[in-house]
Amino acid sequence: MADSISWQRFCRIPLGVAVPHPTTLMKITTRCGTSAVDGLNEALLAKAVTAKVLKTNRVRADTTVVEANVAYPSDSSLLAKGVAKMAATTNKLKALGFASRTKMADRTRSVRSRARSINANLKRRNDDRLIEVRRINTELADIAERVARQADAVARNASRKLRQAGGGASGTARVLVKGLIETAERTRRVAAQTRQRLAGTTPDGSTRIVSLHDPDARPIVKGRLGKPVEFDYKAQLVDNEDGVIVDHNVEIGNPAGGPQLEPAIRRIKQRTGRALRAVTADRGYGEAGVEDALRNLGVRHVVLPTKGKPTVARREIENRRAFKNMVRWRTGCEGRISCAKRDFGLARTRHAGIEGARTWCGHGVFAHNLVKISGLLA
């Protein structure tokens, strides 16, 4: 922002005055959370409704994934990171005078060397390589669980001293103790899913830990050739004829799209004060229960291609010209999603956790709608 006169004028910052540091804006964004950004989006849409520029004759919905800010995970790398993080946090606490006599072994070099040796063993051409990899993973899980127990003792003793200090306790120490407890708990979960995989069972994707700092990220299979498995959040966008995103939501994992459509249309109806004339979405929403729910909300035309093989009566409905025109118009939502990802940051969230992802995506939607609605008002 410091080298852009137009941005300084937009933010009402006088020329020649120092602009805020980027980390200041990041801290404000994190502190405000989803309530603030949701309020901004609601106020902007309310302004568009008052100015009578928000069309709701027909809307279209589609889902996409928002990539989490995590590296491609493996259980061995997560275990190594967990052990190293617990050791570093413990050293910081002891430097502050907390739990100084509690034993805590620093196994960082040991786990990192084992994690690196897994790749070296996988490159071997003999039949013993998989046996060796399983042995190394078992050792990593054992070390991680042992270090996690020691971290619990450190956190317990440090918490006791914090309680004794009362209101004069160090805020940094409180944050470190909280982080140590969370890291130990997540590392134990990674060790458990490692043992489950070694036993021949694939961990459930809806509960699998793929990141220590972002525990809400989940593996999602989208069928892409380059990325068969992604580690993301699921987002739904609903836009109108002018390209304004009239509703959005972000969820953990890979929930079905059908149950999300009716609450979205209900929220749009509450914002505008009138029922929508037509709603369309892709085949993933094509369920009889979804159509009935939308008609109960006053939607006159529900255009949802049915899942599976349609009946003769249903095929006659889907072959009508009006139905096909709405289905063709729905494909424009793909371009809307592409624009939101490319120009407004919805491709990858930079904040951890579901609340962080919702805050990040809410800011992107607000910026997108600000450009669209300001053009309509002009």
Side-chain angles (χ1 to χ4, degrees), residues 145-179:
E145 289 175 343
R146 188 160 55 249
V147 173
R149 286 194 296 270
Q150 295 175 351
D152 289 338
V154 172
R156 191 163 50 247
N157 294 335
S159 299
R160 185 183 302 114
K161 187 172 182 178
L162 285 173
R163 287 194 298 269
Q164 293 172 356
S170 169
T172 302
R174 293 184 185 277
V175 173
L176 290 174
V177 170
K178 180 182 177 182

mmCIF file of all heavy atoms in Angstrom, residues 145-179:
data_model
loop_
_atom_site.group_PDB
_atom_site.id
_atom_site.type_symbol
_atom_site.label_atom_id
_atom_site.label_comp_id
_atom_site.label_asym_id
_atom_site.label_seq_id
_atom_site.Cartn_x
_atom_site.Cartn_y
_atom_site.Cartn_z
ATOM 1 N N GLU A 145 4.415 -40.351 21.108
ATOM 2 C CA GLU A 145 3.548 -40.548 22.278
ATOM 3 C C GLU A 145 4.314 -40.338 23.585
ATOM 4 O O GLU A 145 3.774 -39.784 24.551
ATOM 5 C CB GLU A 145 2.954 -41.951 22.227
ATOM 6 C CG GLU A 145 1.913 -42.129 21.127
ATOM 7 C CD GLU A 145 1.423 -43.548 21.006
ATOM 8 O OE1 GLU A 145 2.106 -44.461 21.532
ATOM 9 O OE2 GLU A 145 0.372 -43.761 20.377
ATOM 10 N N ARG A 146 5.582 -40.760 23.611
ATOM 11 C CA ARG A 146 6.386 -40.577 24.823
ATOM 12 C C ARG A 146 6.653 -39.090 25.079
ATOM 13 O O ARG A 146 6.539 -38.615 26.210
ATOM 14 C CB ARG A 146 7.698 -41.358 24.683
ATOM 15 C CG ARG A 146 8.532 -41.394 25.948
ATOM 16 C CD ARG A 146 9.528 -42.534 25.903
ATOM 17 N NE ARG A 146 10.385 -42.486 24.724
ATOM 18 C CZ ARG A 146 10.332 -43.370 23.727
ATOM 19 N NH1 ARG A 146 9.437 -44.343 23.750
ATOM 20 N NH2 ARG A 146 11.161 -43.277 22.700
ATOM 21 N N VAL A 147 6.991 -38.357 24.022
ATOM 22 C CA VAL A 147 7.241 -36.918 24.162
ATOM 23 C C VAL A 147 5.948 -36.186 24.522
ATOM 24 O O VAL A 147 5.963 -35.218 25.297
ATOM 25 C CB VAL A 147 7.855 -36.347 22.862
ATOM 26 C CG1 VAL A 147 7.959 -34.830 22.929
ATOM 27 C CG2 VAL A 147 9.232 -36.953 22.617
ATOM 28 N N ALA A 148 4.813 -36.637 23.993
ATOM 29 C CA ALA A 148 3.532 -35.999 24.319
ATOM 30 C C ALA A 148 3.202 -36.157 25.798
ATOM 31 O O ALA A 148 2.669 -35.240 26.429
ATOM 32 C CB ALA A 148 2.418 -36.591 23.458
ATOM 33 N N ARG A 149 3.522 -37.331 26.382
ATOM 34 C CA ARG A 149 3.303 -37.510 27.823
ATOM 35 C C ARG A 149 4.185 -36.562 28.640
ATOM 36 O O ARG A 149 3.738 -35.993 29.645
ATOM 37 C CB ARG A 149 3.582 -38.966 28.206
ATOM 38 C CG ARG A 149 2.502 -39.942 27.759
ATOM 39 C CD ARG A 149 2.663 -41.280 28.462
ATOM 40 N NE ARG A 149 3.930 -41.931 28.108
ATOM 41 C CZ ARG A 149 4.076 -42.769 27.083
ATOM 42 N NH1 ARG A 149 3.039 -43.057 26.300
ATOM 43 N NH2 ARG A 149 5.242 -43.335 26.838
ATOM 44 N N GLN A 150 5.419 -36.393 28.199
ATOM 45 C CA GLN A 150 6.302 -35.450 28.890
ATOM 46 C C GLN A 150 5.802 -34.016 28.731
ATOM 47 O O GLN A 150 5.885 -33.208 29.669
ATOM 48 C CB GLN A 150 7.726 -35.578 28.362
ATOM 49 C CG GLN A 150 8.367 -36.927 28.645
ATOM 50 C CD GLN A 150 9.733 -37.069 27.998
ATOM 51 O OE1 GLN A 150 10.146 -36.239 27.196
ATOM 52 N NE2 GLN A 150 10.437 -38.149 28.346
ATOM 53 N N ALA A 151 5.271 -33.698 27.557
ATOM 54 C CA ALA A 151 4.724 -32.355 27.338
ATOM 55 C C ALA A 151 3.518 -32.100 28.225
ATOM 56 O O ALA A 151 3.310 -30.972 28.702
ATOM 57 C CB ALA A 151 4.351 -32.176 25.866
ATOM 58 N N ASP A 152 2.711 -33.127 28.475
ATOM 59 C CA ASP A 152 1.581 -32.980 29.394
ATOM 60 C C ASP A 152 2.057 -32.603 30.795
ATOM 61 O O ASP A 152 1.452 -31.762 31.467
ATOM 62 C CB ASP A 152 0.779 -34.282 29.450
ATOM 63 C CG ASP A 152 0.011 -34.542 28.169
ATOM 64 O OD1 ASP A 152 -0.247 -33.574 27.438
ATOM 65 O OD2 ASP A 152 -0.332 -35.720 27.913
ATOM 66 N N ALA A 153 3.158 -33.241 31.234
ATOM 67 C CA ALA A 153 3.692 -32.921 32.565
ATOM 68 C C ALA A 153 4.205 -31.487 32.613
ATOM 69 O O ALA A 153 3.986 -30.762 33.601
ATOM 70 C CB ALA A 153 4.812 -33.899 32.921
ATOM 71 N N VAL A 154 4.881 -31.048 31.542
ATOM 72 C CA VAL A 154 5.360 -29.665 31.484
ATOM 73 C C VAL A 154 4.192 -28.690 31.521
ATOM 74 O O VAL A 154 4.208 -27.696 32.274
ATOM 75 C CB VAL A 154 6.212 -29.449 30.209
ATOM 76 C CG1 VAL A 154 6.557 -27.968 30.044
ATOM 77 C CG2 VAL A 154 7.479 -30.284 30.263
ATOM 78 N N ALA A 155 3.171 -28.950 30.735
ATOM 79 C CA ALA A 155 2.010 -28.058 30.704
ATOM 80 C C ALA A 155 1.288 -28.042 32.046
ATOM 81 O O ALA A 155 0.814 -26.988 32.495
ATOM 82 C CB ALA A 155 1.059 -28.488 29.589
ATOM 83 N N ARG A 156 1.213 -29.191 32.696
ATOM 84 C CA ARG A 156 0.534 -29.283 33.993
ATOM 85 C C ARG A 156 1.266 -28.447 35.058
ATOM 86 O O ARG A 156 0.650 -27.682 35.811
ATOM 87 C CB ARG A 156 0.448 -30.746 34.411
ATOM 88 C CG ARG A 156 -0.453 -31.017 35.590
ATOM 89 C CD ARG A 156 -0.799 -32.494 35.677
ATOM 90 N NE ARG A 156 0.371 -33.343 35.610
ATOM 91 C CZ ARG A 156 0.657 -34.172 34.597
ATOM 92 N NH1 ARG A 156 -0.160 -34.245 33.560
ATOM 93 N NH2 ARG A 156 1.739 -34.936 34.608
ATOM 94 N N ASN A 157 2.590 -28.565 35.125
ATOM 95 C CA ASN A 157 3.368 -27.809 36.104
ATOM 96 C C ASN A 157 3.389 -26.320 35.783
ATOM 97 O O ASN A 157 3.332 -25.480 36.687
ATOM 98 C CB ASN A 157 4.798 -28.356 36.165
ATOM 99 C CG ASN A 157 4.849 -29.770 36.706
ATOM 100 O OD1 ASN A 157 3.956 -30.187 37.446
ATOM 101 N ND2 ASN A 157 5.875 -30.518 36.345
ATOM 102 N N ALA A 158 3.463 -25.997 34.477
ATOM 103 C CA ALA A 158 3.432 -24.579 34.101
ATOM 104 C C ALA A 158 2.073 -23.960 34.403
ATOM 105 O O ALA A 158 1.994 -22.802 34.853
ATOM 106 C CB ALA A 158 3.762 -24.437 32.617
ATOM 107 N N SER A 159 0.996 -24.716 34.198
ATOM 108 C CA SER A 159 -0.344 -24.201 34.500
ATOM 109 C C SER A 159 -0.507 -23.957 36.000
ATOM 110 O O SER A 159 -1.161 -22.979 36.411
ATOM 111 C CB SER A 159 -1.405 -25.187 34.019
ATOM 112 O OG SER A 159 -1.328 -25.382 32.627
ATOM 113 N N ARG A 160 0.103 -24.821 36.815
ATOM 114 C CA ARG A 160 0.020 -24.632 38.265
ATOM 115 C C ARG A 160 0.691 -23.306 38.671
ATOM 116 O O ARG A 160 0.162 -22.554 39.495
ATOM 117 C CB ARG A 160 0.683 -25.806 38.966
ATOM 118 C CG ARG A 160 0.537 -25.751 40.491
ATOM 119 C CD ARG A 160 1.275 -26.896 41.174
ATOM 120 N NE ARG A 160 0.789 -28.190 40.709
ATOM 121 C CZ ARG A 160 1.515 -29.057 40.003
ATOM 122 N NH1 ARG A 160 2.761 -28.750 39.687
ATOM 123 N NH2 ARG A 160 1.006 -30.207 39.626
ATOM 124 N N LYS A 161 1.838 -23.018 38.079
ATOM 125 C CA LYS A 161 2.530 -21.779 38.405
ATOM 126 C C LYS A 161 1.762 -20.567 37.898
ATOM 127 O O LYS A 161 1.753 -19.506 38.542
ATOM 128 C CB LYS A 161 3.940 -21.798 37.810
ATOM 129 C CG LYS A 161 4.809 -20.620 38.247
ATOM 130 C CD LYS A 161 6.246 -20.779 37.798
ATOM 131 C CE LYS A 161 7.085 -19.601 38.289
ATOM 132 N NZ LYS A 161 8.514 -19.743 37.899
ATOM 133 N N LEU A 162 1.090 -20.711 36.737
ATOM 134 C CA LEU A 162 0.279 -19.611 36.214
ATOM 135 C C LEU A 162 -0.893 -19.315 37.147
ATOM 136 O O LEU A 162 -1.240 -18.149 37.374
ATOM 137 C CB LEU A 162 -0.234 -19.960 34.814
ATOM 138 C CG LEU A 162 0.782 -19.891 33.669
ATOM 139 C CD1 LEU A 162 0.160 -20.423 32.385
ATOM 140 C CD2 LEU A 162 1.264 -18.451 33.447
ATOM 141 N N ARG A 163 -1.510 -20.369 37.702
ATOM 142 C CA ARG A 163 -2.616 -20.155 38.630
ATOM 143 C C ARG A 163 -2.140 -19.474 39.909
ATOM 144 O O ARG A 163 -2.843 -18.625 40.475
ATOM 145 C CB ARG A 163 -3.285 -21.489 38.956
ATOM 146 C CG ARG A 163 -4.117 -22.062 37.821
ATOM 147 C CD ARG A 163 -5.007 -23.195 38.322
ATOM 148 N NE ARG A 163 -4.218 -24.301 38.848
ATOM 149 C CZ ARG A 163 -3.798 -25.332 38.130
ATOM 150 N NH1 ARG A 163 -4.085 -25.384 36.829
ATOM 151 N NH2 ARG A 163 -3.097 -26.320 38.684
ATOM 152 N N GLN A 164 -0.949 -19.822 40.361
ATOM 153 C CA GLN A 164 -0.401 -19.191 41.561
ATOM 154 C C GLN A 164 -0.092 -17.717 41.322
ATOM 155 O O GLN A 164 -0.260 -16.886 42.221
ATOM 156 C CB GLN A 164 0.860 -19.930 42.004
ATOM 157 C CG GLN A 164 0.603 -21.350 42.503
ATOM 158 C CD GLN A 164 1.892 -22.116 42.760
ATOM 159 O OE1 GLN A 164 2.986 -21.610 42.488
ATOM 160 N NE2 GLN A 164 1.756 -23.332 43.301
ATOM 161 N N ALA A 165 0.353 -17.392 40.097
ATOM 162 C CA ALA A 165 0.671 -16.002 39.778
ATOM 163 C C ALA A 165 -0.581 -15.148 39.641
ATOM 164 O O ALA A 165 -0.540 -13.933 39.840
ATOM 165 C CB ALA A 165 1.497 -15.934 38.492
ATOM 166 N N GLY A 166 -1.719 -15.758 39.280
ATOM 167 C CA GLY A 166 -2.975 -15.018 39.173
ATOM 168 C C GLY A 166 -2.957 -14.019 38.029
ATOM 169 O O GLY A 166 -2.519 -14.308 36.911
ATOM 170 N N GLY A 167 -3.416 -12.811 38.314
ATOM 171 C CA GLY A 167 -3.513 -11.786 37.280
ATOM 172 C C GLY A 167 -2.173 -11.276 36.804
ATOM 173 O O GLY A 167 -2.076 -10.683 35.723
ATOM 174 N N GLY A 168 -1.110 -11.499 37.580
ATOM 175 C CA GLY A 168 0.208 -11.020 37.163
ATOM 176 C C GLY A 168 0.958 -12.005 36.296
ATOM 177 O O GLY A 168 2.152 -11.805 36.034
ATOM 178 N N ALA A 169 0.315 -13.076 35.852
ATOM 179 C CA ALA A 169 0.988 -14.087 35.037
ATOM 180 C C ALA A 169 1.300 -13.541 33.653
ATOM 181 O O ALA A 169 0.612 -12.650 33.133
ATOM 182 C CB ALA A 169 0.114 -15.330 34.924
ATOM 183 N N SER A 170 2.333 -14.096 33.060
ATOM 184 C CA SER A 170 2.757 -13.665 31.732
ATOM 185 C C SER A 170 1.760 -14.128 30.671
ATOM 186 O O SER A 170 1.371 -15.298 30.626
ATOM 187 C CB SER A 170 4.142 -14.244 31.425
ATOM 188 O OG SER A 170 4.480 -14.067 30.075
ATOM 189 N N GLY A 171 1.354 -13.177 29.803
ATOM 190 C CA GLY A 171 0.460 -13.543 28.713
ATOM 191 C C GLY A 171 1.130 -14.458 27.715
ATOM 192 O O GLY A 171 0.505 -15.364 27.145
ATOM 193 N N THR A 172 2.442 -14.248 27.492
ATOM 194 C CA THR A 172 3.194 -15.126 26.583
ATOM 195 C C THR A 172 3.210 -16.560 27.090
ATOM 196 O O THR A 172 3.043 -17.513 26.328
ATOM 197 C CB THR A 172 4.628 -14.603 26.433
ATOM 198 O OG1 THR A 172 4.600 -13.264 25.946
ATOM 199 C CG2 THR A 172 5.419 -15.472 25.469
ATOM 200 N N ALA A 173 3.392 -16.715 28.412
ATOM 201 C CA ALA A 173 3.408 -18.058 28.983
ATOM 202 C C ALA A 173 2.059 -18.745 28.836
ATOM 203 O O ALA A 173 1.990 -19.950 28.561
ATOM 204 C CB ALA A 173 3.808 -17.987 30.458
ATOM 205 N N ARG A 174 0.978 -18.001 29.019
ATOM 206 C CA ARG A 174 -0.352 -18.599 28.844
ATOM 207 C C ARG A 174 -0.544 -19.111 27.423
ATOM 208 O O ARG A 174 -1.075 -20.207 27.202
ATOM 209 C CB ARG A 174 -1.431 -17.570 29.179
ATOM 210 C CG ARG A 174 -1.483 -17.163 30.646
ATOM 211 C CD ARG A 174 -2.645 -16.206 30.894
ATOM 212 N NE ARG A 174 -2.657 -15.714 32.263
ATOM 213 C CZ ARG A 174 -3.176 -16.367 33.286
ATOM 214 N NH1 ARG A 174 -3.740 -17.550 33.088
ATOM 215 N NH2 ARG A 174 -3.144 -15.853 34.509
ATOM 216 N N VAL A 175 -0.109 -18.315 26.452
ATOM 217 C CA VAL A 175 -0.233 -18.728 25.048
ATOM 218 C C VAL A 175 0.613 -19.970 24.781
ATOM 219 O O VAL A 175 0.185 -20.898 24.076
ATOM 220 C CB VAL A 175 0.172 -17.566 24.117
ATOM 221 C CG1 VAL A 175 0.216 -18.032 22.665
ATOM 222 C CG2 VAL A 175 -0.795 -16.401 24.257
ATOM 223 N N LEU A 176 1.832 -19.997 25.334
ATOM 224 C CA LEU A 176 2.706 -21.145 25.117
ATOM 225 C C LEU A 176 2.137 -22.417 25.745
ATOM 226 O O LEU A 176 2.200 -23.498 25.145
ATOM 227 C CB LEU A 176 4.094 -20.849 25.696
ATOM 228 C CG LEU A 176 4.932 -19.801 24.955
ATOM 229 C CD1 LEU A 176 6.212 -19.501 25.716
ATOM 230 C CD2 LEU A 176 5.257 -20.263 23.540
ATOM 231 N N VAL A 177 1.580 -22.299 26.943
ATOM 232 C CA VAL A 177 0.991 -23.482 27.601
ATOM 233 C C VAL A 177 -0.199 -24.008 26.792
ATOM 234 O O VAL A 177 -0.345 -25.221 26.581
ATOM 235 C CB VAL A 177 0.573 -23.137 29.032
ATOM 236 C CG1 VAL A 177 -0.254 -24.263 29.641
ATOM 237 C CG2 VAL A 177 1.796 -22.867 29.897
ATOM 238 N N LYS A 178 -1.045 -23.093 26.347
ATOM 239 C CA LYS A 178 -2.194 -23.508 25.531
ATOM 240 C C LYS A 178 -1.737 -24.195 24.252
ATOM 241 O O LYS A 178 -2.270 -25.235 23.848
ATOM 242 C CB LYS A 178 -3.060 -22.296 25.210
ATOM 243 C CG LYS A 178 -4.281 -22.626 24.376
ATOM 244 C CD LYS A 178 -5.090 -21.379 24.043
ATOM 245 C CE LYS A 178 -6.277 -21.731 23.148
ATOM 246 N NZ LYS A 178 -7.053 -20.512 22.770
ATOM 247 N N GLY A 179 -0.724 -23.617 23.589
ATOM 248 C CA GLY A 179 -0.215 -24.221 22.363
ATOM 249 C C GLY A 179 0.419 -25.573 22.595
ATOM 250 O O GLY A 179 0.287 -26.495 21.775
#
